[in-house]
Amino acid sequence: MLKPEKKTGEQGHSHSSKRVSCNGGGGALGHPLIWLTYGQDGNATCPYCSKKFDSQQSE
Ligand SMILES: [Zn+2]
C-alpha cells in the first residue's frame, strides 16, 4: 500500500496570508493595482483609497 508523500517545507500553511487586490475601482478615484495582505484581525485597508477589506467577505 502506497502512501502519498507529504510535502515538507510548507508547515504552518494557513489561510491568514490571504491577499486582496485593490485599484480604487478605476475611474477618477483609481490608483495603480496593489495587493493588500489581511492582518491578524482579518482586515486590510488600502493606503491609496482607504477602502477597507474584510477577509470574511467573499468579495
Ligand atoms: Zn484602493
Side-chain angles (χ1 to χ4, degrees):
M1 198 179 280
L2 290 172
K3 284 185 180 179
E5 242 182 68
K6 195 170 185 180
K7 284 184 181 178
T8 57
E10 282 193 36
Q11 289 185 349
H13 187 261
S14 69
H15 300 281
S16 63
S17 59
K18 197 175 175 184
R19 295 197 302 170
V20 61
S21 63
C22 181
N23 66 356
L29 297 176
H31 58 71
L33 180 72
I34 62 167
W35 286 90
L36 304 169
T37 303
Y38 291 117
Q40 296 222 333
D41 57 357
N43 297 313
T45 303
C46 177
Y48 283 95
C49 63
S50 298
K51 182 175 179 178
K52 292 183 179 178
F53 297 88
D54 188 340
S55 64
Q56 301 297 315
Q57 296 178 341
S58 57
E59 285 183 307

